[in-house]
Amino acid sequence: MTARFAPDVVSPQTRNHILRRRIRLLTGLFIVGLVLSGATAIPLPAEVDWLVKVTNARELVEAPASTNPPACALWLTKIQTALQQAATMQPFLFYGTDWLAFGHFVIAIAFIGALRDPVRNVWLFTFGMIACALVVPYGLIFGAIRGIPFYWRLIDCSFGIFGIIPIWLCRKWTRELANNS
C-alpha cells in the first residue's frame, strides 16, 4: 500500500510571493529575448558572415559539382552575398533593420510596466500574446511574398510560438494574483 501525502497548503501571502517571483522571472526573460532579438537586427552582415563560417556553408556550396549542397547552405550564402552587395551599394537599406531593432527595444521597455506591477499592467500580457500570435501569419504571408524558403519562415514563426508560452503563463498567474488580492 502506498502512502498518500496531502498537498502542501501554502498561505495566500506565500502563494502571491511565488506567483510574483514567477511572473518577474518570465517577464524578465521575455524582455531579454526582445532586446537580444532587436540587437541582432543591427549587425546583419557580420552575423551572417559568422553564421556562414560556423556552418561551413560557403565550402558546402563551392564543393565539386558532383555534390548537392544542403538547401540551408545555399540560402545562407545567398543571404551573405545579398547583404554584402547591399552594404557596398545601398547601405541605407540597413536603416530599416535599425528601426526593427528600435521597435523591439521599445516593446521591451513597455514590459517593464508588467515587471513592476503585473496586476495593473495585465493588459501587456494580452498584448504580448496577440503580437506573438500575429508573428505566424505575418511570417508565413510576407515570407512567401519575399521568396523566403518555407523552412526559414517556420524558424521565424517559432519566435511567436515559443514567445507566447511565458506570456500566457504570466497572464494566467497575474489573474490568479489579482483574484487572491
Side-chain angles (χ1 to χ4, degrees):
M1 183 169 166
T2 61
R4 292 188 179 172
F5 296 98
D8 291 337
V9 178
V10 296
S11 70
Q13 294 85 5
T14 302
R15 179 67 182 159
N16 286 354
H17 178 72
I18 292 168
L19 291 173
R20 285 187 183 281
R21 192 173 60 222
R22 288 177 180 174
I23 293 165
R24 275 194 306 271
L25 174 69
L26 290 184
T27 303
L29 286 173
F30 193 75
I31 290 170
V32 168
L34 281 166
V35 169
L36 290 176
S37 181
T40 62
I42 297 171
L44 282 180
E47 288 174 333
V48 173
D49 288 346
W50 176 82
L51 191 56
V52 167
K53 181 179 178 181
V54 168
T55 61
N56 292 319
R58 180 72 52 201
E59 289 79 13
L60 292 169
V61 169
E62 293 173 354
S66 61
T67 61
N68 197 8
C72 191
L74 289 168
W75 178 245
L76 285 175
T77 56
K78 182 177 182 177
I79 292 171
Q80 183 185 41
T81 301
L83 288 174
Q84 288 170 348
Q85 290 173 352
T88 302
M89 303 188 63
Q90 313 293 338
F92 58 87
L93 290 174
F94 293 105
Y95 190 55
T97 58
D98 297 338
W99 280 106
L100 172 68
F102 177 77
H104 280 78
F105 300 152
V106 169
I107 295 168
I109 291 168
F111 272 91
I112 292 172
L115 194 63
R116 294 180 72 191
D117 189 348
V119 173
R120 193 174 76 189
N121 294 298
V122 67
W123 67 272
L124 281 166
F125 298 126
T126 303
F127 164 76
M129 289 173 55
I130 292 168
C132 286
L134 289 174
V135 166
V136 176
Y138 197 87
L140 292 175
I141 292 167
F142 285 100
I145 291 169
R146 303 289 183 212
I148 307 300
F150 185 70
Y151 65 86
W152 201 270
R153 286 183 268 158
L154 292 179
I155 292 169
D156 290 340
C157 292
S158 73
F159 288 98
I161 294 167
F162 291 116
I164 204 168
I165 296 168
I167 294 302
W168 175 79
L169 287 170
C170 286
R171 191 180 90 174
K172 176 184 165 198
W173 294 331
T174 300
R175 286 180 171 176
E176 182 181 341
L177 193 60
N179 290 337
N180 292 346
S181 299

